[in-house]
Amino acid sequence: MIASSSIFSNFPHGRSLGLRLDTLIRLRWLAVVGQTVSLFVVHVLLGFPLPVIACLAAVALSAVVNLLLRVRFPIARRLSDLSAGPLLAYDVLQLTVLLYLTGGLNNPFALLYLAPVMISAAALSWTTTVTLGLFAITCAGAVGLWHEPLPWSGPDRPMLPDLFLAGMWVSISVSIGFIGLHSWRVAEEARELADALAATELVLAREQHLSQLDGLAAAAAHELGTPLATIALVVKEMERSMAPDSPHADDVFLLRDQVKRCRDILQTLTSLGSGDAPFDRMPLSHLLEEVVEPHRNFGITISVALPEDRDDEPVLARNPGLIYGLGNLVENAVDFAKTRVELEARWTTTRMEIVVRDDGPGFAPEVSDRIGQPYVTSRARDRQAPAEEESGLGLGFFIAKTLLERTGATLWVENRPQPVTGAEVKISWMRSALAIDA
């Protein structure tokens, strides 16, 4: 359990993974093509007068920037916030120049201010996204106040009221804020879930490696059995042919004793790898004792309550995911309990149920609807507690829930009814999902 904390430290949530340079270059090429086509349609097909040279210069500058990036840096490079932020800010500035030349907020393409902010929200940090959003809003406001006339053919050039243009700026500002926040939140949840699942897979892989050692031990015991039997036979013959007063009698006796000890060790290794071994197939009560034993030396009383009639007790295969999942719940209960943690097991002919209770502060009301999600710290802490006591990443319960659900379990989480305090986690299975006797 303790070793798993080193795994979780490699998955800090809220960290942006950066933006791939190739992605940014491809998006900018798309913008260059779109802007060029728009200028061609407006100026050539529609016949609207445009400052074509200035507009094409702004578009060509983006193409030059793209070519320089392609030549200067590897395509697979991931840009940090300090690198990607200025490049996206350049896109905002280039769009502002084009809008200034073509009517400002009168131009319907002003909505393209949303694009760089959405890209930042999906791949960069919240700080960079907010900064870029404020920059885009400022540029939109500036181009709304100062701009060239909207290109139009004929004497009746449309003139939008200032109030309408102000509404356009407010609409763009609100859209940048709302869509940016929504995109960042969705991307952040995806990053958190991916990190948490990766941590869970690493933990489960470690448990599976431990289980595989049982099989290796059995194989080693099988291979060593034959030479050890030969040594034992030779020692026995030496002991028979040796005179009682031989100076080597003590050495032979010691050799025989060590051979016997080796046999005992090999039998133990064989039992660990055997499908009929007590460590591989155990009653539910033994499994619970294995789960709680590592947590008994932390000053918290841990009790395991079982039905009085245990004739029909389930017999389970040793499942690393089951043991680790239950162990995480017990560890969480011990961390928050004041004096006592209780485990209660119940079963029928069709179902099994385990309840984990503690007498701690219980689950905080503000996170009660999100318990089981990654990076949600699920308990209320004493406000006077030292900061280091709140350093958990909120992955423990998520991992326990994930591992137990893989075994077919259903979990219910709630606070214990008043007047007692503490949390209660109920885990239920169909007996046929785990019990060998089923």
Side-chain angles (χ1 to χ4, degrees), residues 273-301:
S274 172
D276 296 328
F279 291 100
D280 191 62
R281 180 177 299 191
M282 62 183 69
L284 178 59
S285 57
H286 292 183
L287 183 141
L288 293 180
E289 286 297 329
E290 179 178 341
V291 167
V292 303
E293 183 60 31
H295 308 287
R296 289 193 183 277
N297 299 320
F298 296 96
I300 301 296
T301 302

Side-chain angles (χ1 to χ4, degrees), residues 14 27 56 91 101 133 142 150 158 173 182 199 235-236 279 309 312 331 359 369 372 413 427 434:
L27 291 173
L56 289 178
D91 292 330
L101 295 171
L150 179 69
S173 301
H182 181 74
V235 170
K236 186 175 182 181
F279 291 100
D309 182 10
D312 195 29
E331 181 181 32
D359 60 353
D369 294 335
V413 180
I427 314 105
L434 287 179

Side-chain angles (χ1 to χ4, degrees), residues 75-92:
I75 294 302
R77 176 174 179 174
R78 282 197 171 272
L79 301 175
S80 65
D81 283 36
L82 293 178
S83 300
L87 289 176
L88 291 174
Y90 162 78
D91 292 330
V92 173

